[in-house]
Amino acid sequence: MEESGQQFIAIELGSERYALPISHIHEIIKMQKITVVPNSRFFMEGVTNLRGKIVPIINLRKRFSMEEVSATRTTRIVVVNHQDEIVGMVVDRVRQVIQFNSIEDAGDSTSGIDSHYFSGIGYLDDDFITILNIGSTLR
């Protein structure tokens, strides 16, 4: 891979694939104990202790109004940096690091989810993956 292009991490929620800019990834961890926070937003799973730091955890399935499923051995928490805060996002699976051939605007809607959650669509040969807008997804 050439260093000039931006790299992304491919993640999965059910049969849907998404990409996150690798520059925003703090780390990827296995699912761990999450403490529920009462009266929090509907997609807020709770908080977890990551080496002494309390990290809020959101559930992307809930965020995108997808069917909830139990955690499996492939479930991961993708910890991202956003505006000097770290936040964890529960995903079904983390795939691989990718670099797109080209990136276009997201347009109006992708897979029935509101398009403001997306920053673009990345193309890989004859395939494409929707790129998540981390800021919109966490709000």
Side-chain angles (χ1 to χ4, degrees), residues 1-8 22 98-100:
M1 280 200 256
E2 46 183 63
E3 292 300 314
S4 59
Q6 188 177 8
Q7 294 181 332
F8 295 83
I22 208 165
I98 51 179
Q99 193 167 330
F100 295 115

Side-chain angles (χ1 to χ4, degrees), residues 89-100:
M89 298 187 293
V90 177
V91 302
D92 294 348
R93 179 183 301 263
V94 173
R95 279 294 181 189
Q96 76 266 18
V97 175
I98 51 179
Q99 193 167 330
F100 295 115

Side-chain angles (χ1 to χ4, degrees), residues 54-112:
I54 301 302
V55 177
I57 305 294
I58 69 165
N59 185 318
L60 283 187
R61 280 182 164 273
K62 287 181 184 177
R63 185 66 175 130
F64 296 153
S65 302
M66 297 172 79
E67 177 185 355
E68 290 184 51
V69 296
S70 298
T72 68
R73 60 181 185 76
T74 63
T75 302
R76 294 291 182 267
I77 298 173
V78 178
V79 182
V80 297
N81 291 307
H82 180 68
Q83 297 179 339
D84 297 325
E85 297 287 325
I86 61 171
V87 179
M89 298 187 293
V90 177
V91 302
D92 294 348
R93 179 183 301 263
V94 173
R95 279 294 181 189
Q96 76 266 18
V97 175
I98 51 179
Q99 193 167 330
F100 295 115
N101 299 337
S102 65
I103 298 174
E104 295 180 8
D105 287 338
D108 291 336
S109 177
T110 307
S111 65

Side-chain angles (χ1 to χ4, degrees), residues 26-43:
H26 180 69
E27 65 184 295
I28 298 167
I29 58 175
K30 289 185 175 179
M31 193 63 181
Q32 58 187 54
K33 183 180 183 312
I34 296 173
T35 304
V36 174
V37 177
N39 302 318
S40 57
R41 300 187 69 184
F42 74 94
F43 56 87

Side-chain angles (χ1 to χ4, degrees), residues 15-30:
S15 62
E16 299 292 329
R17 290 183 310 157
Y18 302 99
L20 294 166
I22 208 165
S23 59
H24 290 276
I25 307 289
H26 180 69
E27 65 184 295
I28 298 167
I29 58 175
K30 289 185 175 179

